[in-house]
Amino acid sequence: MVFSHTEGGKMQSDWTVSDSDGTPFTPLVVLELAHDANAEAVQWLLSRIRDKQQDGGSELLVEQLLAGGPDGEKGNPNVLLVGSSLRRLLDGAEDVGLFKEFNDGSMRGFTYSNRDNFKDFQEDGDGFLSVAECQYIIKHELDTLRARDEANVPGYPKAKLYPGKSIIRRLQSKSILLQVFPLHDKEELKRLSFSWYKKVRLSFQPLDVIRHYFGEGLALYFGFLEYFTLAMVPMALIGIPYYLWDWEDYDKYVLFAVFNLVWSTVFLEVWKRTSASLAYGWGTLSRQKAFEEPRAGFHGVLGFNPVTGREEPIYPNSRRQLRIYLVSVPFVVLCLYLSFCIMMVYFDMETWCLALYELEPNFWTGVLLFVPSIIYAVIIEVLNLLYRYAAEFLTDWENYRLESSYQNHLVLKVLVFNFFNCFASLFYIAFVMQDMVLLRQSLATLLITSQILNQIMEAFLPYWLQRRRNKKAHRRLQKVAKKEQELPLPQQVLLESDMSTYLGTFDDYLEQFLLFGYVSLFSCVYPLAAVLVVLNNITEVYSDAFKMCCVFKRPFADPASNIGVWQLAFETMSVIAVVTNCALIGLSPQVKAYFPESDTQLILLVVCVEHILLASKFILAFVIPDVPKPIQIQLARLEFESLEALKKKKILETSSTSDK
Amino acid sequence: MVFSHTEGGKMQSDWTVSDSDGTPFTPLVVLELAHDANAEAVQWLLSRIRDKQQDGGSELLVEQLLAGGPDGEKGNPNVLLVGSSLRRLLDGAEDVGLFKEFNDGSMRGFTYSNRDNFKDFQEDGDGFLSVAECQYIIKHELDTLRARDEANVPGYPKAKLYPGKSIIRRLQSKSILLQVFPLHDKEELKRLSFSWYKKVRLSFQPLDVIRHYFGEGLALYFGFLEYFTLAMVPMALIGIPYYLWDWEDYDKYVLFAVFNLVWSTVFLEVWKRTSASLAYGWGTLSRQKAFEEPRAGFHGVLGFNPVTGREEPIYPNSRRQLRIYLVSVPFVVLCLYLSFCIMMVYFDMETWCLALYELEPNFWTGVLLFVPSIIYAVIIEVLNLLYRYAAEFLTDWENYRLESSYQNHLVLKVLVFNFFNCFASLFYIAFVMQDMVLLRQSLATLLITSQILNQIMEAFLPYWLQRRRNKKAHRRLQKVAKKEQELPLPQQVLLESDMSTYLGTFDDYLEQFLLFGYVSLFSCVYPLAAVLVVLNNITEVYSDAFKMCCVFKRPFADPASNIGVWQLAFETMSVIAVVTNCALIGLSPQVKAYFPESDTQLILLVVCVEHILLASKFILAFVIPDVPKPIQIQLARLEFESLEALKKKKILETSSTSDK
């Protein structure tokens, strides 16, 4: 038996199965093959997974799940449970370059030979790796399980293989393998959810526990969410009096805007440092990225990869460029135009309602005034959703070799459209119509509506679906009276395989990005936006935590060391915010009143201030170091030590050879 | 005998001396100690340099130069000539992490054990390393020669030492060691200078030969100089017709300015790629920086370095900050104010001369019109020079631990002042006085005067001084009739030790930076500036090449992989140029004529265009990859191979341990 909880030390005793040669193991990862998968292929896959590493196998433990429910109902016979021996996992930890805390408190790359110098390594190393890390290692080992001399998957003549091709990727691209997912750990999950969201009290999130269970990528998202919410609090506090006493004094608005701009620069820079500290403590900061495999869906003519020298599909970049510029770009422009047309319809509706209200001002027409904004907000959300699918389809079709390029192009497409779709109407109202009252009203309606819709779409809808599934599973068992009682392993696996898949932090970051836009772009007109965002994010923490624990399949850990492209996106937004806020202040009648003779002076002044603010933003970002000093020292020390060790080794070698 | 020229294969036969145990060697580096240096200290230094590496020595070959001229004149007895055995140099190449071309055409870190797989390694490796590389290796070995248990330098109770302190640095800081310099190689130098500047024909500079003789840092400077000059040619060609036909048409000026802005962005980005290609071919791109030693002049209380754990002087950062903010910053501000006052005096002179000319317009008062600008230009150059000394003194006093921090703070101080000093008057004329005719005249005078002064200061003055010294040395020998005949070794060493020291590429880059400012900041007013810069730089190539070969001591090679902080400086200048050019165009009467009713629309349009240009600059810089694709592939391949090798090794180890 291999696993214990690192905290409780309690074995997952009723969750073990046995390998073909009788070794009992804890199942960690599930491979769900197609219901009608060829038996020959399944056997071949099983043996390849079990094969020794020298023979090109994964050397993991694997077993087919006993099919069918207790009521004789037939389940999928091709569900494989994968586990591993402890020794194999420790070797795997070395393969993936895991960083762990050393005896002296620094973080170092784990090596098996040096295992006794790591802080939490006791006896045979049981409990040294978290379950999430073990699952990540198993996933990595499965992903790098390569074809040897097989020309195709046994039983599937069309599923071509060539030496070095990742078997799992090919099975996925041919839909023989439906999904790979790690299993939840009921005990640990219960403890996590209790310390995370099941108690209502003022405290930070248990980021280390989250990281322990879900991995670094998700923990960084929740860290960012918390940090971002806290960073909004000062803005919110300053914003409240503006709302309460209806301050229309633009001196104060200028102050508020300047504070916001400086604040947003500082907090984004400080976040970089915070995330570096977190990532250092989690060992992902200095961890080298493993060599990236081609995506499962990538296809092309067989050729030689110039980097690895391996045979692998090649897709010419020129053809990808053609697809981008001849199809994707026009499509995005078309979508933007469509969004623009809808915006114009919204303005027509707005005018129509206003005319109605002026004709007959009563309660109902007063309510009617808000209706166009609400409808428009709903349409925006629907468009964003539809566009999202289209963007995924297009980016897939552009056929990127690497997951990272795929993600970058997807993010770019989605960001451009969402930015335009959400904020175009506000820009139009602010700078073309120059109607500050409508701007405020429209901003408020858009913000509130999108928050409500998001919460429903993100948490309540999936929860409701999941509850139905859950109930069905329990009802199927029939013998259980109490809902809380644990399901036996096969039912638990089937239940989890039916849960929705968490598609990564993309949508969560996107939501925060848009909220940041609502707060910062027009902050001097609607200081209350920060208050709304803070309130939203407090519930967001709970609903996101809840959805991760109860609604979705457990995701694989993602060893992220920062929030990636989102840092750049937030920074770009804060640069745009400088421009919009300066322009808004320049447009305000109160400021204009200071320059009664000519607009020229006013505009020149605003432009000057804007340039100074932008320049100081860049200088500030340049001056604040991205990594805190203590961590810089730690990293430098490790580098120095490895250099010294190398030097000593070399001198010894030289002297021994010269002595001979 | 150790050396041959890699190209000619000819031995430097008449340049060998013998070590104390009789091994003959080619002297490569000279250590000049003080004339009255304590004999005990000299003997100690000699023995420490000769000691074996296991005993903490450098294991180099060293001998005292025989003192005195042939006429019985007494020379400095404490001049040490340092050389090395071939094997020691090859080990040293591994120590400094030299990258060399591998058999398969890629660049890899040299290791002695793998020596036969490197392309140019033949037999015992004679000629594998260039002389410049050997000298760099010797310098590195001398710099890392560390004190053992000596409490002080023998014979100098005040020159304290502690274990791990660099001996050479201590001797330098106590002025016992006056200078360390590499020797010129007359043969190779003659060939280099012939292919470089002694023939007048249209060709690129022999960058590889320059790098071979002077190292990567200087070769990159000359590469940049050439690239920058070529990049100016299109601007110059477009600028000529404006001058010839006196186009005052602002439509055309707008076109010219927009072309300039796009062009300057593109060429700076392309330079990054070019320099990456050069650095890759020279093996410095992926070479890891060695751990930086403290500067020779750095002092502080003995403490423990948090990175190395070694005992070493510690100087608290807070005290450095105090010095910066309480002394350096006020001083710089004062200098800026002084420069401003001088500028105002210049304007008074200008007005006075103009009044005189209008009173009595004849040839002499016409000439007088140019006098203030010329005087002002000379004063600017003098101020820059004086400020340079002050900045060096201050930065030294701020007591930085690392040479790189010292350089960064020096560059920052000098750049801010030089920028203000050179361009303040032009900004004042352009935006406060709004006198475009004066701007053009002033720009031309400043540019031409500074070019002439620079050429004199940089090349002709040092050349004249050197000629005098050269003649004296030859006259001292008396027996030579032909000036060109070679001096014997001791005289050659003494002659070179008297030559001026080349202080690095700082001043050369600074000059190009200011020229770039003259061209780009006000390009739409004076298109001829580019022509002047191109003409200047063509002579600059020759005078810089000449001064490196004949005027200065040979400098140590500097394994640079890019032009460092200057890339940022040039990019910042091109951003500022966008702002000034947009403003200039907005100010022009022709453009104003398009918006007769109100200035507001004009300004808004100009601001919009400026923002779009700035945004596209940033996007362009982001989109163009910094390293060309083929080199990216090469680098990725090396990384992949080392990962694979590591993995294979691990699998073998694992299987062998599990077999046991």
Side-chain angles (χ1 to χ4, degrees), chain B residues 277-424:
Chain B
S277 301
L278 286 174
Y280 178 77
W282 296 339
T284 51
L285 189 63
S286 38
R287 181 166 165 188
Q288 269 199 320
K289 282 261 168 201
F291 204 78
E292 236 182 316
E293 294 287 316
R295 301 182 62 228
F298 177 66
H299 54 86
V301 184
L302 264 195
F304 286 95
N305 181 324
V307 174
T308 61
R310 285 187 192 144
E311 210 175 9
E312 118 180 354
I314 301 285
Y315 188 78
N317 207 26
S318 54
R319 270 168 72 186
R320 190 175 296 129
Q321 300 284 342
L322 275 185
R323 288 188 172 186
I324 293 178
Y325 291 112
L326 294 186
V327 180
S328 298
V329 171
F331 175 79
V332 173
V333 172
L334 199 77
C335 286
L336 293 179
Y337 179 71
L338 186 74
S339 162
F340 183 76
C341 292
I342 290 174
M343 183 182 88
M344 295 321 281
V345 172
Y346 155 63
F347 286 127
D348 285 347
M349 271 167 62
E350 192 79 56
T351 327
W352 182 75
C353 288
L354 200 67
L356 214 68
Y357 176 75
E358 273 165 4
L359 205 71
E360 204 177 328
N362 59 25
F363 175 73
W364 291 110
T365 48
V367 169
L368 198 65
L369 278 181
F370 286 92
V371 172
S373 291
I374 294 174
I375 295 179
Y376 183 55
V378 173
I379 290 179
I380 283 180
E381 291 296 315
V382 173
L383 279 183
N384 280 351
L385 209 68
L386 290 178
Y387 178 82
R388 180 69 203 278
Y389 288 113
E392 269 175 23
F393 175 79
L394 269 181
T395 317
D396 213 38
W397 178 70
E398 285 166 16
N399 196 17
Y400 290 99
R401 191 177 156 269
L402 297 179
E403 185 64 30
S404 58
S405 340
Y406 171 86
Q407 285 295 339
N408 285 341
H409 281 86
L410 181 63
V411 167
L412 185 66
K413 277 197 196 71
V414 172
L415 274 193
V416 167
F417 181 79
N418 278 30
F419 185 86
F420 186 86
N421 197 25
C422 291
F423 301 125

Side-chain angles (χ1 to χ4, degrees), chain A residues 94 307 610-611 637 650, chain B residues 94 307 610-611 637 650:
Chain A
E94 208 176 325
V307 174
E610 187 227 352
H611 279 73
R637 207 172 69 187
K650 223 163 354 183
Chain B
E94 207 176 325
V307 174
E610 186 226 351
H611 278 74
R637 207 174 69 188
K650 224 161 1 185

Side-chain angles (χ1 to χ4, degrees), chain A residues 587-622:
Chain A
L587 281 175
S588 69
Q590 285 91 335
V591 174
K592 271 184 181 161
Y594 284 107
F595 299 87
E597 310 112 55
S598 81
D599 282 351
T600 319
Q601 272 189 304
L602 167 65
I603 297 179
L604 285 180
L605 184 74
V606 168
V607 170
C608 270
V609 170
E610 187 227 352
H611 279 73
I612 293 170
L613 282 174
L614 282 178
S616 21
K617 258 186 93 72
F618 281 103
I619 293 172
L620 208 63
F622 190 77

Side-chain angles (χ1 to χ4, degrees), chain A residues 183-416:
Chain A
L183 280 171
H184 268 300
D185 178 337
K186 281 275 161 191
E187 281 294 312
E188 209 180 330
L189 187 62
K190 210 177 276 172
R191 249 174 297 138
L192 168 65
S193 59
F194 188 77
S195 69
W196 195 4
Y197 67 91
K198 282 206 173 155
K199 55 182 181 191
V200 180
R201 61 177 172 99
L202 266 179
S203 70
F204 294 107
Q205 295 172 84
L207 286 186
D208 285 322
V209 187
I210 299 171
R211 176 239 165 189
H212 195 263
Y213 193 83
F214 286 114
E216 292 79 15
L218 252 174
L220 269 181
Y221 165 68
F222 282 101
F224 180 75
L225 181 59
E226 183 174 283
Y227 177 87
F228 179 64
T229 310
L230 287 177
M232 287 289 131
V233 168
M235 287 195 196
L237 289 181
I238 300 176
I240 290 174
Y242 282 82
Y243 184 77
L244 287 183
W245 290 293
D246 237 354
W247 285 347
E248 286 285 336
D249 215 342
Y250 266 78
D251 303 0
K252 298 204 183 75
Y253 273 13
V254 171
L255 264 182
F256 184 70
V258 169
F259 169 78
N260 265 13
L261 298 176
V262 175
W263 182 240
S264 65
T265 309
V266 171
F267 98 69
L268 285 174
E269 283 302 309
V270 175
W271 165 251
K272 257 191 237 168
R273 293 164 64 88
T274 314
S275 100
S277 301
L278 287 174
Y280 178 77
W282 295 339
T284 51
L285 188 63
S286 38
R287 180 166 166 188
Q288 271 198 318
K289 283 261 166 196
F291 204 81
E292 234 181 315
E293 294 287 318
R295 302 182 61 226
F298 177 66
H299 55 85
V301 183
L302 263 195
F304 286 96
N305 182 326
V307 174
T308 60
R310 285 186 193 144
E311 209 174 10
E312 123 180 350
I314 301 286
Y315 188 77
N317 207 26
S318 55
R319 270 168 74 185
R320 191 175 295 128
Q321 300 285 343
L322 275 184
R323 287 187 173 186
I324 294 179
Y325 292 111
L326 294 186
V327 180
S328 298
V329 171
F331 176 78
V332 173
V333 171
L334 199 78
C335 287
L336 293 180
Y337 179 72
L338 185 73
S339 162
F340 183 79
C341 293
I342 290 173
M343 182 182 89
M344 295 320 283
V345 172
Y346 156 63
F347 286 127
D348 284 348
M349 271 167 62
E350 193 79 55
T351 328
W352 183 75
C353 288
L354 199 68
L356 216 67
Y357 176 74
E358 273 165 5
L359 205 72
E360 203 176 329
N362 60 26
F363 174 75
W364 291 110
T365 49
V367 168
L368 199 64
L369 277 182
F370 287 92
V371 172
S373 292
I374 294 174
I375 295 178
Y376 184 55
V378 174
I379 290 179
I380 283 180
E381 291 295 316
V382 173
L383 278 184
N384 280 351
L385 209 68
L386 291 179
Y387 178 81
R388 180 70 202 278
Y389 288 113
E392 268 173 25
F393 175 79
L394 268 182
T395 318
D396 213 40
W397 178 70
E398 285 165 18
N399 195 20
Y400 291 100
R401 189 176 158 269
L402 298 179
E403 186 64 31
S404 57
S405 342
Y406 172 85
Q407 284 296 339
N408 285 341
H409 281 87
L410 181 62
V411 168
L412 184 68
K413 277 197 197 70
V414 173
L415 275 193
V416 167

Side-chain angles (χ1 to χ4, degrees), chain A residues 126-138:
Chain A
D126 199 9
F128 179 65
L129 300 172
S130 73
V131 177
E133 280 165 345
C134 296
Q135 290 168 333
Y136 176 76
I137 291 165
I138 290 178

